[in-house]
Amino acid sequence: MKLKTFDLDEILTSPWALWAISIASAVVMWLYVTGLDESAYITRKFSAPLEYRGLDSQSILRGRLSEVDIEIRGPEDAIMRLDYNAVNAYVDARNLLPGKKYTVNINVEMPSNINLVSCFPSQAVLDLVRQVTRLMNVDTVLPQDIPEGHYIEGVEIIPKEVGIRGAEDDVVKVGSVRVTPTIDELQAGRELLMPVKFSQSEPFEGSVAIEPAQVRFRGMLVRGLPRKRVPVNVRLTGKLDADYEVRSIITDPSEIQIEGTAEDLAKVEAVDTEVIDVSMMDADNVVVAPLRQPDVPGVSFVGTSSVRVSLQLGETHAERMLANIPVEFRGADDPQKWLSSPANVSVTIEGRPSLIEKFSAENTQVKAFVDMTNIFMAPVTLPVKTEIISGDAFRVTRIDPQNVTVNTLITQ
């Protein structure tokens, strides 16, 4: 029996085969399309704030990128129910050091059934600078149109200092901080809550904040000559006994008020007392000292023209070194059998200068010794002790050397 052979090319090119292939392709495409259900997927575009996670509290970002454009895709029902706060764009700023620029990837967090199509930009440049706070005194800038014959009295600012916070290279550009009350505000005489302003030497690269941004200001416009408080400078003459010195000077009051034109007051920085002679003093003393009239004509005292001056004295001290003091052996059964190395030490004593000047080593009898109590074996290192046999007040401040080596004396 002869088997029938088939020509594959003839089968594939036959009308029936082509028809079957077409039907199968159509079925496959239909199944694919219906399986994907493309009509049920949608996309959305929106802007999201950019978070900076792990940023050090002492660092700030210059030229900070605040938001990014995001496109997402997902099932229509999921997109329609999506809370857009659940889509978070962030950069990881952990372990980044100020003073450098970094290029980092922008990450996007979203629910698992939503896909990210794009994020623009995909990277951010982080320019980190060190943040500092500088404390500065608040100055008062008075208006130029103060009426003639008037001045500002009782100026007080609370708090007196404010903090300037920002990048380190920006904060150093701040020259001064101030409040600027107007004539109307000063005439009202009320406590004011005023904004603090600052002057700068150059434009800032970033933002600079004042903390607090407002201070309380008190001041009143009154009729009369301007007044100013200045410190009191006590003038002394004479020479104290060599055994004493002036330890402190306290004036009551420590400041006095003067008045005059604003131009004249600017020339007076302090007021002197009349000269106080201290050459006869040997104890604490209180003196009522008149004030010297300032050298600037037209400036006068307001109220008091004298102050109480309390002078507190203290003893002075001087030192003297005594060389070649022999080391004695105390507490030993037989001091003659011991030998010290070195055999002599230097002793420095301290006392009042008048006593040190009259000091006599023979009369004072400074002794150096080691305690040999319960010492039976040698060699041994012992501390050197001292004794001053005198009715005068001397004190040993230094022994050189502080320790000696004691050994037995070898006899022939």
Side-chain angles (χ1 to χ4, degrees), residues 66 85 178 190 315:
S66 59
N85 290 327
R178 60 190 185 276
R190 300 190 306 269
E315 287 188 355

Side-chain angles (χ1 to χ4, degrees), residues 6-21:
F6 296 93
D7 187 345
L8 183 59
D9 291 337
E10 183 179 347
I11 292 175
L12 292 176
T13 56
S14 66
W16 287 102
L18 294 175
W19 176 81
I21 293 172

Side-chain angles (χ1 to χ4, degrees), residues 314-335:
E315 287 188 355
T316 59
H317 297 90
E319 288 187 338
R320 182 168 180 178
M321 188 188 75
L322 309 176
N324 298 321
I325 304 295
V327 178
E328 300 177 359
F329 305 96
R330 296 188 182 180
D333 293 336
D334 183 5

